[in-house]
Amino acid sequence: MAPKKDVKAPAAAAKKAEPAKAAAAPAPEPAPAPAAPAAVDLSAVKIEFAADVIDDYRESFGLFDRVGDSKVAYIQIADIMRALGQNPTNKEVAKMLGNPTPEDMTAKRVEFEGFLPMMQTVVNNPNKAVYEDYVEGLRVFDKEGNGTVMGAELRIVLSTLGEKMTEAEIDALMTGQEDENGCVNYEAFVKHIMSV
Amino acid sequence: MGCGMGKSEPLLKECHKESISVPAISAALLIQRWYRQHVARLEMRRRCTWKIFQSIEYAGEQDQIKLYNFFGFLMDHFTPASSESKTDLNSSLLHRNLISHIFRKNEICLDTEWKRYFCYKSIEVTKSYTGPHLTFPMTFCGVSKLVEAFKHKEQLHARYVLQLLEETWRLLRTFPNISHVIACHTKPITICGDLHGHLEDLLLIFYKNGLPSSDKPYVFNGDFVDRGKHSLEILLILFGFLLVYPNDVHLNRGNHEDHIVNLRYGFTKEVLGKYRVHGKKILKLLQMIFSWLPLATVIDNKVLIVHGGISDTTDLDKIARVDRQKYASALRPPKMKVHGCMTKMNENREREAFGQVEGRRRVCSLTYHSSAPDHRHDLPRRSLNNTPVCSKLDLSVDEKLNRRCRLSGFDQARCELKKSDSYLESKTTETDLDEWKQIVDVLWSDPMPQNGCIPNEMRGGGYYWGPDVTEEVLRRNNLQLLIRSHECKQDGYEFCHNRRVITIFSASNYYEVGSNRGAFIRMGPDLVPHFIQYQASTTCRELTLRQSVGWTERSALQALREQLFVHRSDLISAFQEFDPNNKGMISVTHWASTTERVLNLGLPWRVLRPQLVSSTQHGMMDYQQWIKELSITEPKLEQYSLLPFQISDNSILDTMYKNHSNLETIFRIIDTDHSGLISFKEFHQTWELLRSHLKTEISAKAIADLAQSIDFNKDGSIDINEFLEAFRLVDISAHN
């Protein structure tokens, strides 16, 4: 599958993303690329998941319905996709939802049939990174070139750049990673974060 | 914390303005995205695990209610004086006699009889006793001493237990159904939820919050007992504080303050195990105390605290007026008689001696002032046709009976057949049913997100009520907040229904070590709840989220595999329906839907499949292999197939494993003197009862063989605990 050019994604080639451990591997052909940077035309997305996979997705989708109307709130969509093995950024998801307001994110809901093309879009544009990508990314902050980064700097970066994380999230992420000098060995760090 | 955002953000921008490179942002995004995916997957696993535990727990409760309804049906429909003599009927009568005592109201009603039965004075405290000594009336010192003693794992002498319980009973009888509390500036009120025998959690609460006192009022919202190993200690502590500070300690009854539920969930066993000689008396006394526990607490006439919740018919005025001590077990309405107006009924009317004497006798309370009409004693017998409300009564009682038929697994036809043989006593029970409903609803109901009010089928009692019902009931009763417990929450508490309902749960690590935190509420006169969370046990505090999710998940999957294993014969037959050519293969879709159909737990099987099924090919799986693998993954299960004695009939083994809780419950009911021993005959009758309830065939020979093989002492009686241990039935519920 040809890697899609995406300004935000890392330059490294993305491996084809596999949806949650399904028996039958879906074999989607390249879907039509989103035309403009603005809204994604979901109605044009052809669903290519196998029936089994769709059933798996449907069941997982149902787990997130806290209200009982067979729908989920916009704000949950990104998490459902992540739970199903994808890795979209919040911005990508917002784009697919038509860039809703914060109020819309909690108030508006979507049913499974509406979710499926979104999932297909994300599967078709995987942002899967491998070990080397993370290590390369972190090497940027390795001022002394000795395999470590300053925990403090990492924290600042994570809370100020990109899709900012909260203090609590960063704490949870960094637990046990900093040595007594406040340094993080980033290869070990990446191994840690990839060992889920 | 390296995140001094206030200071460093401008600093960062200063220094790196020119050098914020795309790689840096990309790196940040990478990590952030990874992290969010990790958390989302963890959350999904956690939710599944939760669902597993909760489903198994509620399925057990539902099972218990079904069993109890079955008993109720036996009670209502098989009378000693029936004219029919079918063997089936006879055996049903026999069964009825085995269980009738659990329906018997408290026989002791006069003070003198009381004293004789529960006389603790004759129980000597010998010098060899090293536990705490209590003096009465109870003092703060005395209770503190008790708390300390329990902390050091000491056991209170039976004499003191009985004395403390008797004092508690006397006190509780003077309380109204609803406790009213005024919130005070200097004395914030502490509200605790389910404790379920978790002494360490109660001690943790006292440590964080202080002991109850007149400056530190507490409300304990039910479910003090069952499941945990220190239910009795918790009760004694709570009752102790109640005696010292009757105006500042408020106890609400929970659905587990019920001797029938206790038979299944461990409290009965705990008491009998700790007090071999006096355990039975203690249980009897507790049975009465439970029925005297208040049903609700109201703070400042604005905040309602009940254990379960509400339904659309919840009415505080009605609840205030019920004769609460009539309901020793909330699982069953007071002696419900079949109304004579039933159209399908035979006109045969025979007197049921049992019911007549029992049904209407009220315990004469010394100090309890009931506003309930006294004439309830002797209601006029309503004749068949000539009351105007007759038809209305018909329908509701008929409906209710049918519902109970269905609930207990009897089909309509069988109901009708028996009806014609049974006795009809036309006492009006409408008010009683209404009262009973008010009580069951507040003890068993759960909130749901959708509007409406539907029967709570998962638990088998009470309702699911929606936000609209919350609004209406709160409005109608002039309240602003409902605090309830009854459901375990991961963070110890949870808001719902637009923050008008709070669930507060105080037993941490309820399902498993690390599964959840406990919490309690502190509330001042502003009636704003403040939550304090905690988690007992040092080991789990050090676990990361991932570790604790993993641990709990492992435990849940183990429990689930056991459930699957004990249902293996049913599963295999069900799978074979989709495998007509007997290839041993079935599609994943069929596997998921069939497993749900057999186990009926409402679980996301497709999501769980990777954890339960080792491999699939092209969407198909080998189910025979899978069943075999279940026991290999859980080596403990394998030993169920290797028992030290021969059993002629394998189906009896399967029935045992599937229904071990029911079996144990029936044993304990039949064992009227709580000796832990039952005779061969009673053992046989237990199986007969079970067979009747389940409507399965178990050969008499198989039962006889079983009885022989487990008479370990060869003395003609069977030790219940030994039996359960020998068949490893204890293991199945070991992690509960």
Side-chain angles (χ1 to χ4, degrees):
Chain A
M1 205 199 99
K4 296 287 183 234
K5 254 215 255 183
D6 187 338
V7 194
K8 298 189 300 302
K15 277 220 296 260
K16 179 160 147 11
E18 205 67 19
K21 312 135 198 168
E29 296 124 52
V40 172
D41 183 9
L42 292 173
S43 53
V45 175
K46 181 164 160 247
I47 306 296
E48 279 144 358
F49 298 124
D52 252 11
V53 172
I54 294 181
D55 285 340
D56 282 347
Y57 288 172
R58 184 178 285 116
E59 202 184 59
S60 304
F61 185 86
L63 280 179
F64 283 81
D65 171 13
R66 314 301 295 282
V67 171
D69 60 353
S70 306
K71 298 183 186 175
V72 303
Y74 277 13
I75 201 170
Q76 295 174 285
I77 296 285
D79 278 339
I80 301 177
M81 292 182 174
R82 288 167 187 141
L84 292 174
Q86 297 308 305
N87 219 350
T89 59
N90 290 337
K91 194 160 177 182
E92 285 169 334
V93 176
K95 204 163 91 161
M96 278 191 293
L97 292 169
N99 294 314
T101 64
E103 291 78 36
D104 282 347
M105 286 298 272
T106 37
K108 284 203 178 160
R109 300 175 70 74
V110 63
E111 75 290 344
F112 182 67
E113 280 64 34
F115 167 77
L116 214 44
M118 295 187 206
M119 189 66 182
Q120 183 74 71
T121 312
V122 171
V123 167
N124 296 344
N125 297 289
N127 282 323
K128 195 79 168 191
V130 294
Y131 175 79
E132 285 76 23
D133 300 324
Y134 289 108
V135 172
E136 273 310 308
L138 283 168
R139 192 160 285 140
V140 168
F141 304 103
D142 184 358
K143 300 279 160 20
E144 293 162 35
N146 61 0
T148 67
V149 298
M150 284 302 297
E153 178 154 11
L154 205 49
R155 286 170 187 271
I156 293 173
V157 164
L158 290 174
S159 61
T160 55
L161 299 183
E163 296 192 332
K164 302 169 190 174
M165 283 166 70
T166 65
E167 200 166 312
E169 289 178 314
I170 296 175
D171 277 342
L173 174 65
M174 305 279 292
T175 307
Q177 296 304 310
E178 288 157 298
D179 65 17
E180 58 273 8
N181 298 319
C183 294
V184 178
N185 175 313
Y186 52 86
E187 289 203 40
F189 182 63
V190 173
K191 284 211 178 77
H192 155 68
I193 67 177
M194 291 197 83
S195 63
V196 160
Chain B
M1 216 79 69
C3 251
M5 276 179 50
K7 268 200 311 198
S8 341
E9 195 171 321
L11 196 65
L12 178 70
K13 290 201 158 106
E14 269 313 319
C15 303
H16 300 277
K17 234 197 296 216
E18 281 82 44
S19 58
I20 288 186
S21 53
V22 165
I25 300 178
S26 305
L29 272 170
L30 252 180
I31 299 171
Q32 289 155 347
R33 260 185 23 232
W34 168 84
Y35 176 76
R36 291 189 169 114
Q37 189 199 46
H38 169 61
V39 168
R41 291 173 82 155
L42 215 54
E43 177 59 18
M44 173 90 131
R45 281 166 64 193
R46 194 202 61 76
R47 242 181 243 180
C48 273
T49 301
W50 200 259
K51 219 160 169 357
I52 292 174
F53 276 130
Q54 204 174 54
S55 304
I56 295 180
E57 175 183 14
Y58 295 170
E61 284 184 344
Q62 199 196 100
D63 231 17
Q64 182 71 342
I65 291 185
K66 277 200 193 126
L67 185 66
Y68 198 47
N69 277 324
F70 165 67
F71 292 156
F73 187 79
L74 279 182
M75 290 304 299
D76 286 343
H77 286 82
F78 302 106
T79 76
S82 171
S83 57
E84 285 285 338
S85 57
K86 294 182 184 165
T87 41
D88 203 24
L89 181 61
N90 275 345
S91 63
S92 299
L93 287 177
L94 190 65
H95 299 161
R96 185 184 184 277
N97 289 338
L98 287 174
I99 58 171
S100 60
H101 66 277
I102 60 173
F103 292 96
R104 218 167 280 144
K105 273 172 50 74
N106 301 318
E107 298 112 22
I108 295 95
C109 63
L110 296 175
D111 242 17
T112 45
E113 286 184 26
W114 230 118
K115 277 193 148 61
R116 235 182 309 124
Y117 186 76
F118 293 114
C119 188
Y120 54 82
K121 295 206 172 86
S122 56
I123 303 174
E124 199 202 325
V125 181
T126 61
K127 287 198 173 47
S128 56
Y129 171 67
T130 53
H133 293 269
L134 296 182
T135 53
F136 291 84
M138 197 62 135
T139 60
F140 180 76
C141 267
V143 202
S144 319
K145 219 173 33 169
L146 194 59
V147 174
E148 278 308 303
F150 288 153
K151 230 190 254 180
H152 295 108
K153 313 222 186 296
E154 292 168 25
Q155 184 166 305
L156 186 64
H157 197 281
R159 181 208 169 102
Y160 297 132
V161 174
L162 287 168
Q163 200 168 356
L164 200 160
L165 292 182
E166 191 191 298
E167 294 297 312
T168 307
W169 176 72
R170 284 185 191 288
L171 182 63
L172 284 175
R173 287 166 69 196
T174 68
F175 288 177
N177 295 342
I178 302 180
S179 311
H180 284 272
V181 191
I182 312 288
C184 171
H185 203 40
T186 51
K187 319 195 296 181
I189 300 172
T190 308
I191 302 159
C192 299
D194 293 27
L195 287 166
H196 279 302
H198 285 212
L199 183 61
E200 61 277 11
D201 284 311
L202 183 60
L203 295 175
L204 196 48
I205 294 172
F206 286 163
Y207 177 74
K208 280 175 159 311
N209 197 52
L211 294 172
S213 69
S214 42
D215 292 325
K216 195 144 274 177
Y218 271 80
V219 177
F220 291 96
N221 200 14
D223 275 12
F224 319 120
V225 303
D226 277 334
R227 300 185 197 279
K229 300 237 174 346
H230 300 99
S231 302
L232 189 57
E233 283 77 9
I234 289 191
L235 279 185
L236 295 171
I237 291 175
L238 295 182
F239 292 160
F241 279 112
L242 182 71
L243 289 172
V244 184
Y245 302 108
N247 299 316
D248 301 296
V249 174
H250 308 275
L251 305 178
N252 285 345
R253 189 176 182 183
N255 64 312
H256 276 259
E257 274 69 58
D258 181 327
H259 67 291
I260 298 296
V261 177
N262 297 151
L263 280 165
R264 190 187 193 99
Y265 286 102
F267 181 51
T268 308
K269 197 159 148 187
E270 180 190 323
V271 174
L272 295 175
K274 287 176 177 168
Y275 293 94
R276 291 188 183 275
V277 178
H278 300 285
K280 185 183 173 197
K281 276 195 194 148
I282 294 174
L283 285 172
K284 194 83 194 151
L285 196 34
L286 280 169
Q287 192 177 314
M288 302 207 300
I289 288 178
F290 285 165
S291 71
W292 275 109
L293 283 170
L295 298 166
T297 300
V298 175
I299 302 180
D300 282 2
N301 287 313
K302 287 277 152 225
V303 179
L304 173 63
I305 310 175
V306 286
H307 174 73
I310 55 176
S311 73
D312 51 357
T313 55
T314 295
D315 183 335
L316 281 189
D317 290 331
K318 282 192 181 155
I319 293 177
R321 290 196 306 262
V322 304
D323 192 359
R324 72 181 189 269
Q325 56 77 33
K326 262 167 46 179
Y327 305 89
S329 169
L331 292 186
R332 183 180 155 85
K335 212 69 190 78
M336 199 184 90
K337 289 282 165 255
V338 169
H339 197 280
C341 286
M342 281 208 203
T343 49
K344 294 175 190 135
M345 290 276 205
N346 196 295
E347 302 285 307
N348 228 339
R349 325 212 20 234
E350 294 172 289
R351 193 161 181 72
E352 189 191 73
F354 181 91
Q356 195 54 26
V357 171
E358 280 310 307
R360 297 287 127 217
R361 190 170 72 183
R362 282 179 54 173
V363 172
C364 294
S365 129
L366 295 181
T367 53
Y368 174 69
H369 300 293
S370 166
S371 52
D374 281 309
H375 70 255
R376 223 188 282 153
H377 278 293
D378 12 75
L379 284 159
R381 296 184 70 188
R382 290 184 188 274
S383 74
L384 261 187
N385 298 306
N386 58 11
T387 56
V389 286
C390 189
S391 48
K392 178 165 176 260
L393 273 172
D394 287 354
L395 211 48
S396 57
V397 174
D398 196 1
E399 253 176 41
K400 276 157 183 139
L401 180 66
N402 287 341
R403 177 161 181 266
R404 291 197 35 238
C405 281
R406 281 197 303 276
L407 284 174
S408 61
F410 279 83
D411 55 51
Q412 203 70 348
R414 190 168 163 174
C415 270
E416 289 168 25
L417 179 66
K418 291 304 173 195
K419 272 187 232 166
S420 62
D421 297 328
S422 67
Y423 154 77
L424 313 168
E425 165 60 39
S426 53
K427 274 248 149 63
T428 188
T429 56
E430 195 60 25
T431 334
D432 286 345
L433 283 171
D434 198 35
E435 273 192 1
W436 173 66
K437 183 182 187 299
Q438 290 287 331
I439 294 178
V440 173
D441 290 354
V442 299
L443 257 43
W444 283 83
S445 301
D446 290 312
M448 65 175 176
Q450 308 95 314
N451 281 336
C453 196
I454 55 177
N456 191 327
E457 310 244 302
M458 211 168 45
R459 304 233 197 206
Y463 285 82
Y464 284 120
W465 87 89
D468 56 338
V469 176
T470 297
E471 285 307 309
E472 176 53 29
V473 171
L474 290 182
R475 186 197 62 78
R476 197 166 64 212
N477 292 283
N478 247 304
L479 301 160
Q480 72 188 38
L481 178 64
L482 169 63
I483 299 178
R484 43 91 63 174
S485 303
H486 199 39
E487 283 181 302
C488 183
K489 295 295 175 191
Q490 203 203 2
D491 292 316
Y493 74 95
E494 193 176 88
F495 277 101
C496 68
H497 294 187
N498 304 317
R499 299 178 78 88
R500 302 273 264 165
V501 176
I502 299 175
T503 301
I504 183 76
F505 195 85
S506 301
S508 67
N509 307 319
Y510 181 62
Y511 288 128
E512 179 54 81
V513 170
S515 67
N516 65 290
R517 292 198 274 182
F520 59 90
I521 297 174
R522 245 189 238 133
M523 186 178 272
D526 58 358
L527 302 182
V528 171
H530 299 274
F531 300 94
I532 296 94
Q533 297 161 299
Y534 54 84
Q535 197 153 18
S537 149
T538 44
T539 40
C540 66
R541 238 182 279 128
E542 284 149 20
L543 294 174
T544 62
L545 180 62
R546 185 166 109 221
Q547 284 171 313
S548 91
V549 169
W551 186 275
T552 316
E553 188 182 47
R554 244 191 313 275
S555 186
L557 290 172
Q558 187 182 320
L560 193 54
R561 287 194 195 101
E562 277 170 0
Q563 287 292 312
L564 290 166
F565 186 79
V566 301
H567 284 90
R568 62 196 185 292
S569 2
D570 285 345
L571 282 169
I572 292 188
S573 348
F575 289 150
Q576 277 165 344
E577 286 173 35
F578 292 101
D579 179 26
N581 301 323
N582 226 345
K583 294 233 168 71
M585 303 288 281
I586 188 176
S587 76
V588 169
T589 308
H590 285 147
W591 170 82
S593 59
T594 309
T595 306
E596 176 53 32
R597 190 160 45 90
V598 173
L599 256 59
N600 202 21
L601 288 172
L603 291 175
W605 295 102
R606 301 193 71 106
V607 173
L608 292 168
R609 186 194 48 79
Q611 309 263 40
L612 294 172
V613 181
S614 58
S615 69
T616 60
Q617 273 187 336
H618 310 299
M620 304 289 285
M621 59 171 280
D622 182 336
Y623 57 88
Q624 301 274 12
Q625 183 61 22
W626 175 60
I627 299 276
K628 279 206 197 80
E629 277 172 9
L630 275 178
S631 62
I632 294 172
T633 341
E634 297 293 337
K636 199 165 64 167
L637 291 176
E638 205 185 4
Q639 60 181 326
Y640 292 141
S641 345
L642 312 166
L643 290 166
F645 19 70
Q646 290 294 91
I647 300 180
S648 55
D649 189 341
N650 261 323
S651 71
I652 210 181
L653 207 64
D654 282 351
T655 306
M656 246 192 326
Y657 292 141
K658 249 197 294 192
N659 296 283
H660 71 279
S661 289
N662 282 338
L663 199 56
E664 183 174 353
T665 306
I666 298 175
F667 275 156
R668 296 203 184 281
I669 293 176
I670 285 182
D671 176 24
T672 48
D673 62 357
H674 293 300
S675 60
L677 300 170
I678 58 174
S679 68
F680 274 18
K681 185 158 158 231
E682 288 168 334
F683 181 76
H684 195 105
Q685 285 161 349
T686 306
W687 280 96
E688 284 295 300
L689 255 174
L690 188 64
R691 184 193 61 76
S692 226
H693 172 49
L694 300 174
K695 292 187 284 179
T696 61
E697 282 318 307
I698 301 171
S699 82
K701 180 174 186 308
I703 297 175
D705 285 348
L706 186 62
Q708 283 296 119
S709 61
I710 57 172
D711 177 13
F712 303 118
N713 303 325
K714 299 283 174 257
D715 61 356
S717 69
I718 293 165
D719 183 314
I720 298 172
N721 289 322
E722 267 187 42
F723 172 78
L724 295 170
E725 299 253 349
F727 284 92
R728 280 109 182 181
L729 294 172
V730 173
D731 282 351
I732 295 185
S733 47
H735 50 257
N736 276 341

